[in-house]
Every structure is written in C-alpha cells, then in structure tokens.
Amino acid sequence: MPMIQVTLPDGEVNEYSTGITAGEVVIDIFGRKHGCVAAFIDDEQRDFSTIISNNCSIDGISAESEEGIHVMRHSAAHLLAQAVVMLYPEAKPTIGPAIERGFYYDFANLESFGETDLKAVQKKMHELARNNLTIERVECSEDELTELFATNPYKLEIIADKLEDGDGSTIYRQGEWYDLCLGPHVHSTAKLMHVRLTSVSSAFWRGDQNREQLTRIYGLVEASKEALKLKMAALEEAKKRDHRKLGKDLQLFHVDEDVGQGLILWTPRGAIIRTVLQNFISEHLTRQGYHQVYTPHIGKLDLYRISGHFPYYQDSQYPPLVEKDLMKKLSDDGCSCSDLSNLMVSGDIDGYMLKPMNCPHHIKIYSSQPRSYRDLPLRFAEFGTVYRWEQTGEISGMTRVRGFTQDDAHLFVTEDQIAAEVLGCIELVQIIFAALGMSDYRVRVGLRDPDSSKYVGESQRWDRAEEACRKAADSLGVNWSEEPGEAAFYGPKIDFIVKDVIGREWQLGTVQVDYNLPERFELNYKGSDGELHRPVMIHRAPFGSMERFCGVLIEHFAGKFPTWLSPTQAHIITISEKHADYANKIATKMRNAGIRVEVDDSDATIGKKIRNHRKMYPAYMIIVGDGEMENGTVSIRARNGNQSADVALDSFITDICEEIEKKVAVPSLVLEENC
RNA sequence: GCCACCAUGGCUUAGCGGUAUAGCACCUCAUUGGUAAUGAGGAGGUCGCGAGUUCAAUUCUCGCUGGUGGCUCCA
C-alpha cells in the first residue's frame, strides 16, 4: 500500500498508509483523549473524516482553542436546527453561524415561538446529542443541492448566490437531518451535550429590513458541564455590574416614563460623577488652549438647512417647533400635519429645531467676526446637549438615549494644522482613559473607499488628513484598525469603541476631519498672503456623550468608583448616639476640606450600619466611638474591608485630599490589613 | 419601527377569577451596641394605564405606555 508522509505539530514526520483519516492521525498524535473537535490539514480546518491521500501537515483543533470553539458552536447551530425542524416541521432553517458569544440559527415559518418554547427544543437537542449521531460531510452537485433543498427557498437563494454555475458544494448530514454547509464540524452530536439555549429574538433575512422577518434562537455550547456552568455563572456575574441595575441601586440616574424614553434624569449622586468628570476634562481643555462656549438647545430650521442636517436626517430628529402665531394661522387655514411637514421641508415656513448637533452653533461663533490666520487654530468647546430621535427599540439605559450631552468641540484650523490638532485630540483621550484605568477599547480609523466618488474635497487633501489620522491612532499605543469606506463623506475619522458587560460594543468618542461644513457655511480667514482662505474643521467628542461615558464607567468600576469620582467619599458612622455631635463636627471639618461626606448617627448597631452603607460602595467608612472622641481620631474602614484604627483626623483629611488630588485608582488609606 | 418576553408598596418577590404574600429599606419603642443583619411593634399597594368578558378581574381578552433580549456576525 502506498504510504504518505505527515508532518506532526512538533515537526516530526510520520508515515501512514493512504486512506487514513485526519481523525485517526489526531488520535495517533494525542491519544484517544485528544480533546480535539477537528483537524488542521496544511493549516486548513477540516473534518476528522477527511481522508489523507497526499503528504501534508496535520494538527488537532482543540475544543478549547478559538477555532475549536467556533467549530463546536457551528455544529451546535446545526443541532438546534435539527431539533427545531423535528418539533416544528413547518419551520424553514435559513442561516445558523457561530458568533462571538455562542451561536444562533434563524428560522422562517416559526412565528409565535417564544422563550417558553426553548426548553422543549433544548431537551430535543440533548436527546439528539445522546444518540451520538455521526456527522458526515457529503459532496453534492448543484443539481443535487437544488433538489435536496427544493422546499426551502432560503437555502436555494444561498445556493444561487454563492455557487458559480455548475459548481457543487457540500452538505452535512446527521441522522435524517442535513444542512448546506462548508464545515468543518465535530464528528458526532455527542460532542454537543453541553448546550443551553439562551434567548429568542427576531432578525431580518440577510439583515435587510425590507425582507422577511425570521425567528432567531440564540444558544451557548461548551465542551463540558463544568465549563457551561462557569459560563452561565460568568454571565450572571456580568449582569450584576450592568449600569442600569447599578444606576438604580446606587441612585445615579433615573429614567421616568412621564418625562420620556431615553431622557436621563441625573440624580444627585450621578450628577456628582458627571460634574467631577466634566471638571477634569475642562482642566485639560484649558491646558490645550480651548475656549469654552455656551449655545442654546434650539436653532432655526434654516441653520440646519445650510448645514444639511434638515431634512436629510429628519428620521432621527425630534419634529421641529413652529412659532405660535404662525401655527395658529396655519391651523385656521386648515393646514394638515403633512402639509406642515411639506412646507417646512420646502423652506416655505420656518421653525426651530432641537439641535441634533452643536456644530452649526459653533460655526456661527466662528463667523461672528472676521478671522485671520493668526487666530487659528480656534478651538470652541462645549458640553453641548443634543437631541436625536432614536428608534424605540434601540433605547437602552444610559448608552442609547434621545437626549445627551456631548463633550463636544470644534476646531477651526488651516490645512497645515490638521495633523497636530488631531494628535492633540488623541492626547486628551489618552490622558483621561489612563486616569480611569480604561485600557480595554479599540480604535477604528475610518478612511474613504477608493472606489467611491461620494466624498467631498480633493484627494490630496484626503491623503494628508488620512495620514494624520493614522499617525494619531499610532500614538495611542493600542490596537487600531483601518477601515476603508467608513469615513464620513466629508472627511476621515477616528472612533473609540468599548464593550459593555454583556459584550455589546458602543462607540464612545470620535475625531472627524471635515471639509464640508466650512464650505457650506462659506467660512474663511485672511491668510498671510492677504487672500481669504477656507479653514478645515475638526469635530471631536472624545468620550461621545456624558451619558454613555458614565454608563460605561459605572460598568468599568462595577459601581466601585475611585475616591475622586465617588459620589460620597466617606460615610461617618457612629457607634452610639452619644457620638453624634463628634461625627457631625468631623463631617463639617471634612466638608470644609472639600470631601463629600455622609453621616449616619442613627441608633442601629454598628454591624447593621456597616452592612447598609456597604451597598452604596463608599470609598471609606469612618467609625467613631468613645476612643475616637476622646483622642480626636477616626477609625477607617476601606471599601475592601481593610481597617485602620485611631488615625488622627487631620492626617486622614490630608491623606484623603491627596488621594483625591492624585486621582488614585483604588481607595488605599489603610495601615493595617484586617479582612 | 419590527419579533419574543416582562410589568405586584422605595427595592427584591409570592400568589390567584372573589380587592394580595414575604424579606430588605422606612417609622415607633426598648436596647447604647466597636467593624457584613439586636429585639418587638407599625405604616406603606386603586397589583403600569385604558377598555372589554364576567355577578365579580391584580388574575382572562384587546389596545396603550414603559422595560428586557435581539434585529451588524452571513452556507
């Protein structure tokens, strides 16, 4: 029998007879308990059943590896579809990929399927897994495929789209069930015992709102029972730091249905966090030569006609406001809502709009007086509140809202100044992320799509601006990706993106170069040559909005803010009622030193009071009793439970002020360890 | 907006065709207690809103409002 040479992962070469499968080689290398789900053949992912007929290299794909988990998830999606079709024969499977957090499968004809139905499907999946069905790969011609999927228009659409005329493809078969798929897959359903279906939702066929709505089922799969249990526990744990839960527990913000969806009410404790952050940011703005400005919440429709926001973005704006005399006249004339809307779009009547962006107002500040090249760069900053009509279903906590305050600024610069100014914006992000210990974010540099002509401005200018963005992103020292086609039509941009506790990505800040608005508003400055030139604008909101940023921060700290940001920095707790005066006296002294203090002189026991105050995660609890009162001292209990007895009040105040001043990440004014 | 699910005092929650549990928080009294729950008592709810079915609805049906997961991951 002819032999073939197989290179093993350690570089050794083994000889096997042709006809051996990849799975058999993996067993030969790693033994029966190989823990692999598929194999790499010449670095390509293949099934265990693949027959080896040429010299090649082979390695196992461990169930724990990224690729292995992906294979498991994909196979679990197939198992899900098999189970669903057995229970709901009318259902039409469409697509079912592995995703970052598990897998899903989309079904047509599965309306009114709800979370209560998940249990039965999951049970069926377990049953199929126990049956230890072999998962086989079968090569099919285009005709065979068309016949196999004759009753499933979705699969037929995929076949028509993905296959060149006359090409075949593969299906995977397990028991009676088969699905169109490239693979690879695990070799048996027995590998998929540890699945858990998590949720049901809807999705559109091919992500297109105009096409059929499908029912999507999400699930998780792990290699062992323990791993699944750990996964579920980790998800539960993550939910505890959800900013919506913590926001309520810690009284940071409130959303009231009588006020409106997506409109954040900053309660006193949350307002402190916002104020402290804004002050922190403002200090750096001053240092970087920004000018703080204030502008109103509304502006005339005409302003937004010039900027291009109205009516182009009409769907994502609150409807305009119309002056009351005009409104009365229109109403007397029998003008309907749609007439009104048409008149506004055509420009026949004017009104005001809640501002969806701050730029037009800042532009008007720029053009309020003649500018010379000596004035540039001009940097106008404002914590400007804007309003956008987000879709009902999109609104969520503080991260997706309808009214929000951007840490906004607009820089008016000459062409030559773009690079330095973009870099300056990035530096600010770096300083503040570093102060907050936020390192888990990604950066996306949006560039123009070279094949498209939708972009305004000359291409040499774009090249320079894009290069400036790349350089600035480089300076951050974190991973960033270049994304052609992601630029705005008016200029390239840099976006900062973070994940929330349940893995959703949110864009925080953005820095955008803009050639368009200066054009639209005919901005200019007098150059050294005595001629008028057009400035370039840079829009930047490095943290996006105070709402979203604080939401993300709550989760980042899990509610346990560093002392400088903490809504209350020290809770003073009395041992008994006779210490109330002393407690209030030191509270006054601490407040005078600028420390945020709360006093609990109620008559509950000390243990009880500590227990209750812990829930609010103050950086420090200050315990005062007879000893402290006599000596003019305090006992400190840090958030982590560490204690320090009989510390002189003045020295504590000095220390905590220093900790606040230095923005120390973890409250740490404790001498003895005593957990 | 669309699909599924959810909505009970400040929070967590039981319950059901006959107007409702419990714990924490709150208040009162006793206790004056030294670092994760002292004891006893009390108050607090038109069961999200509006209609319908019924002798009767928090419970069933419909609508609305609000919330949650998702609607970008492509055989």
Side-chain angles (χ1 to χ4, degrees):
Chain A
M1 186 177 278
M3 301 296 278
I4 46 157
Q5 297 196 321
V6 173
T7 310
L8 307 185
D10 60 5
E12 298 252 328
V13 177
N14 274 8
E15 288 219 326
Y16 298 101
S17 351
T18 47
I20 193 168
T21 64
E24 286 163 338
V25 175
V26 168
I27 291 172
D28 191 47
I29 307 171
F30 299 107
R32 292 228 151 256
K33 292 189 173 172
H34 50 70
C36 294
V37 292
F40 284 115
I41 303 180
D42 288 337
D43 296 327
E44 275 185 36
Q45 296 185 35
R46 305 297 295 271
D47 299 288
F48 274 166
S49 59
T50 312
I51 292 167
I52 315 295
S53 45
N54 294 309
N55 293 349
C56 61
S57 70
I58 291 188
D59 195 355
I61 300 179
S62 150
E64 252 97 78
S65 68
E66 204 173 305
E67 294 90 347
I69 291 163
H70 192 88
V71 170
M72 296 259 302
R73 287 172 176 165
H74 197 179
S75 299
H78 276 214
L79 189 68
L80 166 60
Q82 182 180 14
V84 166
V85 171
M86 286 176 86
L87 296 170
Y88 303 88
E90 294 306 304
K92 301 265 181 246
T94 66
I95 56 163
I99 54 171
E100 215 178 296
R101 289 183 298 135
F103 61 90
Y104 70 77
Y105 212 114
D106 285 349
F107 301 90
N109 278 19
L110 189 62
E111 290 85 18
S112 75
F113 183 91
E115 309 223 327
T116 45
D117 304 310
L118 287 179
K119 235 180 186 166
V121 176
Q122 191 174 293
K123 206 174 149 200
K124 183 56 89 181
M125 289 173 77
H126 284 144
E127 187 187 314
L128 291 166
R130 268 196 303 275
N131 289 350
N132 192 8
L133 303 172
T134 301
I135 300 177
E136 283 181 277
R137 176 188 175 93
V138 185
E139 306 261 351
C140 297
S141 69
E142 189 178 7
D143 288 346
E144 285 169 321
L145 290 175
T146 314
E147 197 181 327
L148 282 168
F149 295 103
T151 59
N152 187 326
Y154 303 93
K155 296 289 180 191
L156 289 178
E157 188 177 324
I158 295 166
I159 293 166
D161 270 21
K162 299 277 174 177
L163 269 59
E164 296 285 323
D165 268 353
D167 275 4
S169 188
T170 53
I171 61 165
Y172 277 78
R173 194 181 272 286
Q174 55 203 55
E176 300 290 303
W177 158 261
Y178 55 88
D179 197 0
L180 180 68
C181 189
L182 291 175
H185 282 283
V186 300
H187 60 282
S188 159
T189 58
K191 282 269 172 200
L192 308 170
M193 261 317 283
H194 309 292
V195 289
R196 178 75 61 94
L197 298 181
T198 51
S199 66
V200 181
S201 72
S202 76
F204 295 100
W205 172 233
R206 304 204 141 175
D208 184 345
Q209 285 210 14
N210 301 313
R211 303 207 58 181
E212 299 89 321
Q213 183 151 299
L214 309 172
T215 302
R216 175 171 293 183
I217 303 177
Y218 283 89
L220 294 171
V221 64
E222 291 292 330
S224 68
K225 197 175 174 180
E226 294 68 44
L228 182 62
K229 228 175 167 176
L230 282 174
K231 185 91 188 179
M232 299 302 294
L235 287 175
E236 283 305 306
E237 210 42 48
K239 276 189 197 155
K240 287 187 192 160
R241 50 158 72 196
D242 189 313
H243 77 278
R244 291 165 297 189
K245 177 169 170 42
L246 287 172
K248 186 180 263 184
D249 291 350
L250 304 181
Q251 299 162 24
L252 301 175
F253 70 97
H254 172 66
V255 181
D256 196 289
E257 67 177 276
D258 290 337
V259 174
Q261 266 190 309
L263 299 172
I264 303 296
L265 304 175
W266 293 79
T267 49
R269 290 170 165 273
I272 287 171
I273 296 172
R274 172 169 164 174
T275 306
V276 172
L277 269 177
Q278 286 188 182
N279 291 344
F280 180 40
I281 294 171
S282 297
E283 276 171 36
H284 286 280
L285 291 180
T286 308
R287 202 160 293 160
Q288 290 196 339
Y290 282 75
H291 304 289
Q292 190 78 40
V293 298
Y294 294 102
T295 65
H297 287 222
I298 62 173
K300 276 187 167 180
L301 275 183
D302 249 347
L303 183 68
Y304 300 102
R305 288 199 185 97
I306 297 169
S307 73
H309 293 121
F310 182 84
Y312 189 69
Y313 290 109
Q314 205 169 7
D315 285 349
S316 53
Q317 289 161 356
Y318 276 88
L321 308 154
V322 178
E323 284 176 46
K324 57 180 191 258
D325 292 344
L326 182 56
M327 197 64 166
K328 185 170 184 310
K329 184 175 177 299
L330 289 165
S331 150
D332 290 347
D333 294 349
C335 175
S336 72
C337 284
S338 60
D339 295 339
L340 179 64
S341 173
N342 289 338
L343 286 169
M344 280 189 297
V345 171
S346 66
D348 289 330
I349 58 169
D350 214 348
Y352 288 84
M353 221 166 78
L354 278 171
K355 66 178 172 186
M357 292 187 160
N358 299 305
C359 22
H361 289 74
H362 291 183
I363 285 170
K364 287 298 179 185
I365 293 176
Y366 177 90
S367 59
S368 65
Q369 49 176 284
R371 305 290 179 179
S372 120
Y373 73 98
R374 293 177 196 275
D375 298 327
L376 305 189
L378 257 178
R379 312 177 187 90
F380 297 140
E382 176 181 16
F383 290 98
T385 306
V386 298
Y387 299 88
R388 296 181 190 170
W389 186 267
E390 297 290 348
Q391 292 199 106
T392 319
E394 295 273 6
I395 291 168
S396 173
M398 287 180 119
T399 44
R400 175 80 70 167
V401 294
R402 283 190 176 157
F404 54 94
T405 302
Q406 296 178 307
D407 59 318
D408 210 359
H410 295 93
L411 288 68
F412 299 84
V413 306
T414 66
E415 187 74 28
D416 298 341
Q417 293 166 338
I418 294 175
E421 290 304 314
V422 169
L423 199 65
C425 297
I426 298 286
E427 274 168 17
L428 182 67
V429 175
Q430 210 167 14
I431 290 166
I432 289 166
F433 276 16
L436 295 165
M438 291 178 73
S439 52
D440 192 14
Y441 62 100
R442 70 182 181 92
V443 177
R444 184 171 65 189
V445 178
L447 306 174
R448 70 194 189 286
D449 176 353
D451 298 329
S452 171
S453 57
K454 68 172 181 177
Y455 304 98
V456 300
E458 305 148 28
S459 78
Q460 298 96 314
R461 299 173 98 195
W462 270 84
D463 287 341
R464 284 200 295 272
E466 290 184 346
E467 194 45 36
C469 288
R470 284 197 194 91
K471 275 211 176 115
D474 256 340
S475 74
L476 272 168
V478 301
N479 284 337
W480 58 275
S481 61
E482 244 178 60
E483 303 195 19
E486 287 299 307
F489 72 89
Y490 49 75
K493 59 176 183 168
I494 305 172
D495 292 332
F496 303 93
I497 295 151
V498 297
K499 276 187 190 170
D500 70 11
V501 289
I502 51 179
R504 286 181 298 203
E505 286 203 320
W506 298 103
Q507 181 180 316
L508 288 183
T510 183
V511 177
Q512 305 183 355
V513 180
D514 183 359
Y515 297 107
N516 180 48
L517 285 178
E519 199 71 42
R520 281 177 167 268
F521 283 93
E522 297 176 355
L523 300 183
N524 57 45
Y525 64 89
K526 185 156 282 180
S528 55
D529 54 5
E531 301 291 319
L532 289 178
H533 298 270
R534 189 132 289 163
V536 179
M537 270 176 78
I538 298 172
H539 307 245
R540 49 106 282 183
F543 308 102
S545 77
M546 297 317 291
E547 284 76 6
R548 183 176 285 179
F549 191 58
C550 283
V552 168
L553 265 193
I554 292 167
E555 301 192 353
H556 172 68
F557 289 118
K560 295 169 186 163
F561 291 95
T563 310
W564 67 282
L565 266 181
S566 195
T568 44
Q569 295 165 323
H571 288 202
I572 302 173
I573 294 170
T574 54
I575 297 284
S576 82
E577 280 173 0
K578 58 182 190 251
H579 310 117
D581 284 349
Y582 180 61
N584 284 298
K585 216 171 83 192
I586 59 180
T588 304
K589 202 161 175 193
M590 288 173 75
R591 286 190 186 115
N592 287 340
I595 303 163
R596 297 186 288 271
V597 176
E598 220 169 75
V599 178
D600 184 349
D601 54 9
S602 70
D603 73 345
T605 58
I606 183 72
K608 174 72 160 265
K609 286 195 266 192
I610 287 169
R611 187 185 163 85
N612 287 342
H613 285 266
R614 273 173 57 88
K615 289 182 196 156
M616 300 307 281
Y617 302 130
Y620 296 103
M621 284 189 240
I622 306 302
I623 317 291
V624 293
D626 288 339
E628 290 80 2
M629 204 159 78
E630 276 164 32
N631 304 325
T633 57
V634 292
S635 288
I636 309 165
R637 185 188 212 281
R639 191 153 59 207
N640 63 6
N642 287 359
Q643 294 166 30
S644 192
D646 272 328
V647 177
L649 177 60
D650 288 340
S651 105
F652 172 65
I653 291 177
T654 310
D655 288 349
I656 193 170
C657 286
E658 192 186 329
E659 181 172 299
I660 292 164
E661 175 65 30
K662 287 187 175 163
K663 302 187 170 55
V664 174
V666 181
S668 52
L669 298 183
V670 177
L671 305 173
E672 308 159 22
E673 296 259 326
N674 182 15
C675 278

